[in-house]
Amino acid sequence: MAKQKLGYTFLVYLVILFFFASSVSASARVAPLLQSYGNPIFGSNFHTVYDTSMYGVFQLSNGLATTPQMGWNSWNFFACNISERVVKETADALVSTGLADLGYVYVNIDDCWSAVTRNLKGQLVPDPKTFPSGIKALADYVHGKGLKLGIYSDAGSQSLQCSEPVIGIPIEKDVHIVSAGVDYLKYDNCYNLGIPPKERYPPMRDALNATGRKIFYSLCEWGVDNPALWADKVGNSWRTTDDINDSWARLKL
């Protein structure tokens, strides 16, 4: 009986010694990890290769697009049935619904805002029937709500709805409308005459920069010329597909 008790006691001590030794061994292995906590884990070039902190920033030296742009665009619902009244009511709604407080701050006018013909100076001008107060007055109204106004133009021979041509017209003839208080330009790709987008889009980038204002430059190039490979040096954002709409068929594409 005494021998059995002694053997049992020895076994208990042996188990305790085993766990103690294992703990010491584990501590020895963990200690270096704890000591290196906070030190770089990856190689020195990791953050250079995979750094995303500057994506969308400084391509135009304007500091915009640090986060995705959010707001409203007139095209999908209103198409060419757009007017300054619709824009003002939309701005009011973004504020009253609380969407503006969540970051939905862009109120963007798409195609059909301009007159069919240019003025005597060769400049694009708003349609006097639908935008009688002019773009500057509308921008002032939107800014008064704490929001930003966007507008549309095209880097082709004409816009989708056949407004006055852009290709062949000096850029300064069009950038004046953007510099009149506009914060965002959607630059479309319609009727581009086969001229590569790498040639058609940079001149407007330079013209926007020359205004001295921070203007979001959105390249509506439809993604057909792989803009992800070159557009980061040209615009704040770029399209990856053609038009979308609120239908299941389009969602499945």
Side-chain angles (χ1 to χ4, degrees):
M1 185 71 176
K3 289 182 179 180
Q4 184 178 4
K5 184 176 181 180
L6 181 61
Y8 177 76
T9 302
F10 176 77
L11 179 61
V12 169
Y13 278 118
L14 185 63
V15 170
I16 293 174
L17 180 63
F18 172 78
F19 278 109
F20 176 76
S22 298
S23 298
V24 171
S25 177
S27 298
R29 290 195 301 269
V30 171
L33 294 178
L34 294 177
Q35 291 171 0
S36 64
Y37 181 77
N39 293 333
I41 298 176
F42 302 103
S44 59
N45 68 333
F46 177 83
H47 293 291
T48 301
V49 177
Y50 296 101
D51 180 19
T52 61
S53 64
M54 301 300 286
Y55 278 19
V57 189
F58 301 135
Q59 290 96 335
L60 304 178
S61 300
N62 59 16
L64 299 178
T66 55
T67 58
Q69 67 273 36
M70 299 195 300
W72 172 88
N73 179 282
S74 63
W75 184 253
N76 271 6
F77 187 84
F78 290 97
C80 279
N81 298 314
I82 188 65
S83 67
E84 65 179 45
R85 176 182 176 181
V86 170
V87 175
K88 288 181 177 180
E89 290 178 351
T90 300
D92 294 343
L94 286 176
V95 174
S96 64
T97 58
L99 287 171
D101 292 332
L102 298 177
Y104 293 86
V105 296
Y106 284 103
V107 184
N108 291 350
I109 310 167
D110 211 280
D111 201 2
C112 304
W113 63 268
S114 63
V116 177
T117 57
R118 294 171 179 266
N119 65 13
L120 295 177
K121 296 181 180 179
Q123 299 170 328
L124 287 175
V125 291
D127 188 325
K129 295 180 180 179
T130 51
F131 292 88
S133 301
I135 298 301
K136 179 62 169 65
L138 187 57
D140 290 343
Y141 183 90
V142 171
H143 292 161
K145 299 287 181 177
L147 304 173
K148 300 179 180 181
L149 182 67
I151 209 165
Y152 168 99
S153 189
D154 187 82
S157 63
Q158 61 190 49
S159 75
L160 178 63
Q161 295 301 316
C162 302
S163 65
E164 282 290 293
V166 175
I167 286 182
I169 302 295
I171 286 291
E172 60 269 17
K173 297 290 185 181
D174 292 332
V175 78
H176 83 284
I177 200 72
V178 181
S179 60
V182 171
D183 308 289
Y184 187 112
L185 174 65
K186 173 185 173 181
Y187 213 35
D188 212 344
N189 194 39
C190 305
Y191 304 101
N192 56 56
L193 305 182
I195 301 174
K198 294 179 184 180
E199 297 179 18
R200 287 180 289 111
Y201 283 94
M204 181 58 80
R205 170 203 60 194
D206 299 338
L208 294 177
N209 281 341
T211 67
R213 298 184 60 250
K214 292 185 176 182
I215 301 172
F216 195 110
Y217 188 27
S218 174
L219 279 57
C220 183
E221 183 268 349
W222 314 333
V224 295
D225 286 280
N226 299 314
L229 301 179
W230 54 267
D232 62 331
K233 301 298 188 296
V234 181
N236 292 116
S237 70
W238 51 91
R239 282 270 293 269
T240 57
T241 68
D242 58 3
D243 284 357
I244 61 173
N245 55 53
D246 53 348
S247 68
W248 287 111
R250 193 65 184 88
L251 186 63
K252 289 188 293 184
L253 292 179

